[in-house]
Amino acid sequence: MMKLIHGVKLALFTVSLSAFYVPKTALAMSKERQVTHQQTLETLYYQRNYQSVKAALRALDRPLNIDEQLLMLAIKVQRNEDNADDALASFTKAHPNNAKVQYWTGNLWQIAAKNSSMFSKMSIYSHYVKAMTKAAKLAPQNARYQMEAAKAYGQHSIMGGDSDKQAPIVAKLLQGSSPFAHIAQMDLLQNTQKESEALHYATGIAQQYSNNVEIVERAAQLLWTFGDKIKAGELFYQACMLPAPIKEAYLKWDAACWYSVLFSDNGELSLEQGISAGKQLLAQSSVKDNEYLDSLELYAQLLVKARQTANAINAYNDLLASATNKSMKRNAKKALKKLVK
């Protein structure tokens, strides 16, 4: 599940300190501020607030560093802009020994594949596998990267995967204490189609790590894969009711809330649960993009089913005011016409 980043020019930024003295404490604080600034921008990025990220980066009175260039590239890929794939290929190649670059570009190649035609999808997925597994080799102590590498190796061989290399990574992760080991194990159980073991493992690990959004959401996905939509829906709802995390984990929280609303609409969760999840999701959204509008439309439908007429009218009015899609506007008008009779 991720979209990602923009074409970037590489630049060297050198500053001579020979003409003046800068205390080491001041330099350290400056570095701390840079780290905090980068973390803030990445948080906004994962929340799909691309405009704010680009505005902040363009306001910098200096060339962008590698991490900042990476954000610009990610937005380019997320928006499926012209030459995004070429920019992604160039940036991946330009930083072969940077683990973070390989990890991010690995995720971005997945987004590029989803945006591509079926003809080129398989070859693009092979770029994802190559980048993600390289990130893990460059950063062997990074449990998240190891988990993602195991997942990448679990892809079909025609997409660059190698199932024989997945299990050893998972086994090594399970020897440690990282929660990512359990996500990797669930990926492996899904790939090897061990249904009984998968259902048991997912249920138990979701209870053990009940406050971990990523684990609970992955357990829900695993249960759903093997057909247990009722338990899956409950776990999606459980994850959604947790505080919204930051960065990568936010994507899983967002997905959990969306599926909670969807499962409620389909009858696997109660209307009350779906409405509660919809409120959580919409309240956390910082931009009214297509994903927000899709969530708002489905949320409004739940309100109608629950006969919360006043709230449904408000939701459809918000949809009508924010949507640019003609079909969505037309549907909102029809719904409002029925509600105000």
Side-chain angles (χ1 to χ4, degrees):
M1 346 196 347
M2 258 200 298
K3 300 176 186 177
L4 289 126
I5 304 185
H6 199 25
V8 175
K9 63 178 182 180
L10 302 178
L12 294 175
F13 181 48
T14 59
V15 178
S16 174
L17 299 178
S18 60
F20 54 90
Y21 171 72
V22 179
K24 289 184 179 180
T25 54
L27 287 174
M29 288 195 60
S30 176
K31 181 66 174 178
E32 288 177 8
R33 282 195 293 268
Q34 288 179 20
V35 170
T36 300
H37 185 249
Q38 182 67 25
Q39 290 176 342
T40 299
L41 292 180
E42 290 182 9
T43 296
L44 289 171
Y45 164 75
Y46 282 113
Q47 292 175 348
R48 306 191 307 277
N49 196 338
Y50 307 136
Q51 197 61 38
S52 293
V53 175
K54 293 186 74 171
L57 292 176
R58 285 170 174 168
L60 296 175
D61 189 22
R62 58 169 174 74
L64 302 183
N65 62 37
I66 292 176
D67 286 351
E68 292 161 348
Q69 294 174 41
L70 195 53
L71 276 169
M72 291 293 282
L73 174 62
I75 294 170
K76 186 180 184 71
V77 176
Q78 289 280 17
R79 290 177 167 174
N80 198 21
E81 296 178 7
D82 291 342
N83 302 317
D85 288 6
D86 292 338
L88 181 54
S90 296
F91 201 77
T92 307
K93 185 177 180 181
H95 302 283
N97 298 315
N98 187 312
K100 181 177 180 178
V101 168
Q102 295 300 314
Y103 166 71
W104 271 64
T105 56
N107 283 318
L108 291 173
W109 281 120
Q110 284 188 293
I111 303 304
K114 292 174 183 177
N115 292 335
S116 69
S117 65
M118 185 60 67
F119 179 76
S120 58
K121 195 177 293 290
M122 297 305 174
S123 63
I124 293 177
Y125 261 106
S126 68
H127 293 311
Y128 146 67
V129 174
K130 183 178 179 181
M132 197 61 77
T133 54
K134 187 162 191 178
K137 291 175 182 176
L138 291 169
Q141 303 307 315
N142 190 310
R144 183 182 287 278
Y145 290 8
Q146 300 306 311
M147 172 195 74
E148 293 291 353
K151 182 184 298 182
Y153 278 132
Q155 302 299 313
H156 197 282
S157 59
I158 62 174
M159 299 193 302
D162 187 342
S163 58
D164 290 339
K165 294 181 179 179
Q166 183 183 19
I169 297 177
V170 176
K172 186 175 181 180
L173 277 171
L174 287 170
Q175 292 173 5
S177 58
S178 171
F180 294 123
H182 302 295
I183 299 176
Q185 174 68 356
M186 285 188 277
D187 291 339
L188 181 61
L189 290 172
Q190 180 170 321
N191 286 354
T192 53
Q193 290 294 295
K194 296 180 179 180
E195 181 174 349
S196 178
E197 184 179 349
L199 295 174
H200 178 75
Y201 193 91
T203 301
I205 210 65
Q207 292 177 345
Q208 183 179 345
Y209 289 87
S210 59
N211 292 322
N212 186 306
V213 167
E214 292 182 279
I215 286 181
V216 176
E217 192 275 343
R218 184 62 185 93
Q221 293 280 0
L222 189 58
L223 291 168
W224 188 12
T225 297
F226 288 112
D228 195 340
K229 295 188 71 174
I230 300 300
K231 287 185 180 178
E234 291 294 341
L235 288 184
F236 281 133
Y237 183 70
Q238 177 182 325
C240 179
M241 291 300 104
L242 294 171
I246 62 172
K247 297 191 178 180
E248 293 98 329
Y250 179 86
L251 299 175
K252 302 303 183 181
W253 178 87
D254 183 278
C257 290
W258 163 253
Y259 285 124
S260 296
V261 178
L262 184 64
F263 277 35
S264 173
D265 189 52
N266 291 336
E268 286 93 17
L269 284 173
S270 69
L271 289 176
E272 291 76 17
Q273 288 173 306
I275 290 170
S276 180
K279 285 181 180 177
Q280 288 273 85
L281 181 58
L282 295 170
Q284 186 66 31
S285 299
S286 59
V287 291
K288 293 187 176 181
D289 58 3
N290 290 335
E291 291 184 40
Y292 171 89
L293 295 173
D294 286 342
S295 299
L296 178 58
E297 185 174 41
L298 192 55
Y299 172 66
Q301 292 172 15
L302 292 185
L303 292 171
V304 173
K305 287 184 177 182
R307 298 183 179 179
Q308 295 187 22
T309 305
N311 290 334
I313 289 173
N314 289 336
Y316 275 117
N317 277 326
D318 188 10
L319 185 64
L320 194 59
S322 303
T324 56
N325 181 281
K326 291 181 179 179
S327 176
M328 186 174 283
K329 279 183 171 290
R330 184 167 56 250
N331 291 338
K333 288 179 180 178
K334 287 181 179 178
L336 282 169
K337 189 174 181 179
K338 291 180 181 179
L339 290 169
V340 297
K341 278 185 177 180

